[in-house]
Amino acid sequence: MTDLNIPQDADAEQAKALVREHFEIGDVVEVRDAERTEDHQMDTTGEVTGFEPDYLEIDDQPVGEGSARYEEIQSVAKIESE
């Protein structure tokens, strides 16, 4: 399993570069939100379908419906298929 933790001080461009370096379109990943509080959690699992300018596209979904803005990503983990 590939795990990537985004440094807290990384901006959106740095986060995007790290994600592109470690993952490819077609990878199945779990994305965790940097803003993890009890009332606000984002754990998204799905297939990477694009590296958009402002967000990581998951399952062809827009931001808020599955995809994640780079500056909001805390970690990305590749889920290995069995």
Side-chain angles (χ1 to χ4, degrees):
M1 182 193 290
T2 301
D3 289 327
L4 171 65
N5 291 312
I6 305 295
Q8 289 182 349
D9 61 348
D11 64 19
E13 286 301 312
Q14 292 167 325
K16 179 180 178 180
L18 286 168
V19 171
R20 288 200 71 149
E21 182 179 317
H22 289 86
F23 301 97
E24 300 177 351
I25 290 178
D27 286 346
V28 177
V29 297
E30 178 182 64
V31 179
R32 292 188 177 237
D33 189 326
E35 299 283 327
R36 294 185 55 77
T37 61
E38 198 170 301
D39 62 336
H40 177 82
Q41 294 184 13
M42 180 192 79
D43 289 345
T44 301
T45 302
E47 180 181 341
V48 175
T49 52
F51 296 101
E52 301 302 321
D54 296 326
Y55 65 95
L56 176 62
E57 185 180 80
I58 305 291
D59 291 335
D60 292 319
Q61 297 297 311
V63 171
E65 294 182 26
S67 295
R69 293 190 183 282
Y70 294 112
E71 69 268 12
E72 296 176 353
I73 296 174
Q74 177 185 37
S75 66
V76 183
K78 183 176 178 181
I79 300 171
E80 301 293 334
S81 57
E82 297 179 27

